[in-house]
Amino acid sequence: MLTDIEIAQQADIRPVREIAEKLGIDEDDLEYYGKYKAKLSEKLIARTADNENGKLILVTAINPTPAGEGKTTVSVGLADSLSAAGKKTAVCLREPSLGPVFGIKGGAAGGGYSQVIPMEDINLHFTGDMHAITAANNLCCAMLDNHIQQGNSLKIDVRKILIKRCLDMNDRELRNIVAGLGGRVNGVPREDGFIITVASEVMAILCLASDIDDLKERLGNILVAYNTLGEPVYAKDLKANGAMAALLKDAIKPNLVQTLEGTPAIMHGGPFANIAHGCNSVRATKLALRLSDYVVTEAGFGSDLGAEKFFDIKCRKTGLRPSAVVIVATVRALKYNGGVPRAELSNENLDALKKGIVNLGVHIGNMQNFGVPTVVAINRFATDTEAELKMIEDYCTEQGADFAVAEMFLKGSAGGGDLAAKVIAATEKPAQFNLTYDDDAPIKDKILSVAQKIYRADGVTYTTQALKALADIEKLDTAKLPVCVAKTQYSLSDDPSLLGKPEGFNITVRDVRLSNGAGFVVVYTGDIMTMPGLPKVPAAEKIDVDSNGKITGLF
C-alpha cells in the first residue's frame, strides 16, 4: 500500500473556493493562503451568528498504544461517509504540532484514504498559527524579564514567575534552564524553562476565545507571576496583552481545507489533551455548526482526557451539546491494555484481548454517564482476525453500546457507511447531557469527582507543593473554574504502566497551576511533562525534501 504522504500527493485536490461553496461560503469570505488553504473571515462569523445549528458528533477513543489508534482517521472518514450519504457535513480538527510530527506519533491529518489535505502544509507550517502563538507567548515572557531588568516597579519575585517560554518542538534540553547569564547588561539570572507551544495558556486561550476582544481580555488575565508581597501579577500589568493580541489577529481566524474526498475541513488550534484541554477552537466548532447539518469533531487521546475536557471545559463554557459520541477502539490497543508488547500486537491473542477489553468498558460507561448516545467504531487493522473482531462486537452488545467496524483507512468513505448510518441514528436519540461536577464545587471536590467518576480511582493524594499552590489559587477569584487534569494518556490512572482497568489506586497531584486567562485550573499528576522529548529514533530522520520541493517521509 502507498504511504500516507504518497496517497495525499496523488489526490485530486480542489481549489479551496470550491470546498467553501459546499458550505455556502462566498469567495469574499476567504483569505487565501495559496490555492488550497484559506482563513475564514470575521464577516462570515458575524453574518452566520443567528444560523440554526447542525448536530455535533464527538469522536474520542480508548487508551491508546504509543502510536495512536486512528482517531483522526476515523473522524475524517466519518465526515466523508456522512457526505457520501448526502449529508451537509464538515469535520473540525486540531492543527498538528511539530513535536509529534518529528517525534514518534506523526502528524494529525488522518491516514490512508481518510486524510485532510494538503497534508504536507498542514503537518508543517500550515497558516502560521502555531508560530503566532509561540511569538505571543514569548513576547509576554520577554516583556516580563525586561520589566525586571528596567527597575521592576511591580516588584516581581523572580522565584515566583509562573509563565514559561514555549517552542513547538520536542526538546527536552529546554525543560529546565538558567537564563540571564553573562553580566548585568544581559538580564537578571534566574531559573526558567520551556514548554511545548500546544501546552501553553496562549494556545488554550486562542481555542476558547469568542472574538478578538475576548482574546485580548483573556490574554491580559494570564497570571504570570507573584510579587514579593505574594500578590498576583497579570499580563495586563505588564501592558503585554494588546501586542500579544496583535500577533494573533490572523491566528484567531479558523482555517478551511479539505479531505481527500472533498469534504470541508475546518482546522483550528491544537492543544494536547494530556497536558491541556485537547479540543479545536470554539470559534471553528460554532462556525461549522452554523454552516453544516452534521459536524464531526475530535478530542485528543482517550475519553478520560479529551472527551472529559471537551464536556467539562468546552461544553460547560460555551453551551455546546453533542448529539452523539463515537469511541474509537482497536484490537491492537485492547491487546496492549491486556499486556501484549508493541512488537507482538499483530499476532492473534484472544486471552490478552479478553483481559484488556475492560478498558473499552470503562470508556463506554463514562460516555453513557455523560448522557450522550454512543457508538463504538472498531477501527480495523489488516492484522485483526475475525475472532478478535467478534469478541469486541459481542462485548459492545453486552455493554449496551452500538458498534460498527470502520475501514476508512483502506477504503475511504466506502469503509464507513455502516458507522455513518449508526451515528445518524444515534443523533436522533434523546440525550440528557450531564457534567462531572458542579460549577460551585470546591476545586478539590472537582478533582476528586474526575478521579473517581472518570478514572475510577479510590481517591486523590496531594504533594506539599500541590497543596501550597492550591492554597495560593484559592485566594484568587477561582471558585467557579473547571479543572484540567494533566495525566498520562496510556492509562486510566496516572501511572502509564497500569493498563486495562486499574483498581485500588489513588491519583497523585504533584502541582496545580492557574490558567486564569483560559479559565481553568491545571492539575498535574504523575510524571506528565509539558515539554516532551524526541524518541531514540525520531520520525525526523526519515523526512526529506528533493530538489523540486517534494517532501517525503511524513506519515
Side-chain angles (χ1 to χ4, degrees):
M1 180 177 168
L2 299 174
T3 65
D4 289 352
I5 193 168
E6 288 170 340
I7 292 170
Q9 288 172 342
Q10 293 181 16
D12 181 20
I13 190 167
R14 308 172 196 181
V16 71
R17 69 175 183 278
E18 295 182 13
I19 305 303
E21 289 171 359
K22 295 185 177 185
L23 297 179
I25 300 172
D26 297 332
E27 188 168 10
D28 288 344
D29 291 317
L30 301 177
E31 298 175 8
Y32 287 108
Y33 284 67
K35 290 174 62 178
Y36 308 114
K37 301 171 292 181
K39 287 280 186 184
L40 297 174
S41 73
E42 294 292 341
K43 291 181 180 179
L44 174 67
I45 294 172
R47 191 170 63 252
T48 58
D50 296 327
N51 285 16
E52 184 177 349
N53 282 344
K55 294 184 176 181
L56 181 60
I57 300 159
L58 174 66
V59 179
T60 185
I62 61 173
N63 293 101
T65 69
E69 300 315 309
K71 181 160 41 56
T72 306
T73 299
V74 171
S75 299
V76 174
L78 174 58
D80 281 338
S81 299
L82 290 167
S83 293
K87 307 299 182 182
K88 189 178 181 182
T89 306
V91 60
C92 278
L93 303 172
R94 293 169 297 161
E95 300 175 48
S97 163
L98 292 179
V101 168
F102 294 126
I104 188 172
K105 195 170 180 288
Y113 291 92
S114 182
Q115 297 186 53
V116 282
I117 51 177
M119 182 260 223
E120 309 98 302
D121 291 2
I122 291 168
N123 277 322
L124 297 178
H125 300 291
F126 200 22
T127 57
D129 293 347
M130 292 291 183
H131 303 307
I133 292 165
T134 302
N137 180 92
N138 293 345
L139 171 64
C140 186
C141 294
M143 291 181 70
L144 183 149
D145 281 313
N146 182 65
H147 179 88
I148 296 171
Q149 173 76 1
Q150 302 293 349
N152 196 10
S153 61
L154 292 173
K155 301 188 184 304
I156 293 169
D157 188 339
V158 295
R159 300 164 300 178
K160 294 183 179 180
I161 293 174
L162 303 178
I163 190 169
K164 290 189 174 185
R165 288 165 167 82
C166 69
L167 182 72
D168 190 35
M169 193 68 65
N170 289 1
D171 193 345
R172 65 172 59 82
E173 199 77 7
L174 295 177
R175 285 176 190 156
N176 299 287
I177 65 171
V178 177
L181 300 180
R184 187 183 187 107
V185 71
N186 292 315
V188 177
R190 67 177 182 87
E191 291 186 39
D192 198 1
F194 279 73
I195 60 176
I196 193 165
T197 297
V198 287
S200 69
E201 186 175 354
V202 177
M203 168 62 80
I205 287 171
L206 183 89
C207 289
L208 292 169
S210 57
D211 54 37
I212 195 73
D213 291 330
D214 185 36
L215 174 75
K216 193 187 309 183
E217 181 177 357
R218 287 173 177 269
L219 292 170
N221 287 335
I222 295 175
L223 177 63
V224 296
Y226 287 95
N227 67 17
T228 54
L229 299 175
E231 298 166 335
V233 179
Y234 300 100
K236 60 189 173 186
D237 296 324
L238 297 168
K239 299 181 175 59
N241 52 320
M244 293 169 73
L247 284 170
L248 298 170
K249 73 176 183 66
D250 293 320
I252 195 175
K253 300 172 186 176
N255 308 294
L256 178 66
V257 286
Q258 63 191 282
T259 70
L260 288 174
E261 299 189 21
T263 300
I266 301 178
M267 299 188 74
H268 196 217
F272 282 171
N274 57 344
I275 48 181
H277 73 291
C279 314
N280 74 306
S281 78
V282 169
R283 302 189 96 208
T285 304
K286 286 189 170 183
L287 179 60
L289 284 168
R290 298 196 296 263
L291 296 171
S292 314
D293 295 328
Y294 293 87
V295 172
V296 180
T297 191
E298 62 160 355
F301 294 119
S303 76
D304 55 315
L305 288 169
E308 184 273 320
K309 295 169 185 177
F310 181 90
F311 295 142
D312 285 322
I313 296 176
K314 186 172 180 176
C315 290
R316 181 190 301 270
K317 292 289 188 179
T318 62
L320 291 169
R321 295 293 181 264
S323 297
V325 172
V326 175
I327 301 174
V328 178
T330 65
V331 169
R332 295 166 58 86
L334 291 174
K335 288 191 293 190
Y336 182 78
N337 273 278
V340 175
R342 287 181 65 189
E344 300 175 19
L345 291 176
S346 297
N347 303 327
E348 181 179 271
N349 191 329
L350 294 176
D351 289 338
L353 180 58
K354 184 177 181 179
K355 182 180 177 182
I357 206 166
V358 293
N359 184 265
L360 173 58
V362 174
H363 292 283
I364 291 173
N366 284 348
M367 296 302 96
Q368 290 173 337
N369 289 339
F370 277 112
V372 184
T374 301
V375 180
V376 175
I378 306 171
N379 189 24
R380 185 169 191 171
F381 281 62
T383 55
D384 298 346
T385 68
E386 292 300 325
E388 290 173 326
L389 291 171
K390 187 175 187 305
M391 181 177 286
I392 299 176
E393 292 171 356
D394 290 345
Y395 185 80
C396 290
T397 300
E398 292 170 9
Q399 298 297 310
D402 209 348
F403 64 87
V405 175
E407 298 184 87
M408 292 88 94
F409 182 87
L410 288 175
K411 301 178 181 179
S413 63
D418 188 27
L419 177 62
K422 291 186 175 179
V423 168
I424 291 171
T427 64
E428 301 298 332
K429 295 178 181 178
Q432 186 172 353
F433 185 64
N434 307 306
L435 295 171
T436 307
Y437 48 80
D438 293 333
D439 285 348
D440 294 329
I443 294 174
K444 274 191 174 182
D445 289 357
K446 292 173 181 176
I447 296 170
L448 182 62
S449 292
V450 174
Q452 291 181 331
K453 295 179 183 179
I454 304 298
Y455 312 147
R456 314 302 170 92
D458 290 344
V460 179
T461 302
Y462 292 86
T463 66
T464 301
Q465 167 61 28
L467 290 172
K468 184 178 183 302
L470 191 56
D472 288 339
I473 290 170
E474 288 175 335
K475 294 175 185 176
L476 306 175
D477 186 19
T478 58
K480 293 184 179 295
L481 296 185
V483 295
C484 179
V485 182
K487 181 185 76 68
T488 178
Q489 65 267 33
Y490 300 123
S491 173
L492 289 163
S493 75
D494 55 359
D495 180 349
S497 68
L498 298 180
L499 303 178
K501 182 184 177 183
E503 295 181 350
F505 69 95
N506 277 14
I507 293 291
T508 298
V509 176
R510 62 175 173 81
D511 202 0
V512 183
R513 295 288 180 91
L514 174 61
S515 287
N516 193 57
F520 52 70
V521 176
V522 183
V523 180
Y524 295 95
T525 70
D527 295 325
I528 197 70
M529 292 176 293
T530 53
M531 171 54 88
L534 292 171
K536 187 172 183 179
V537 182
E541 291 185 7
K542 300 178 182 178
I543 297 172
D544 202 357
V545 60
D546 66 17
S547 58
N548 296 315
K550 183 177 180 180
I551 293 173
T552 56
L554 279 173
F555 65 97

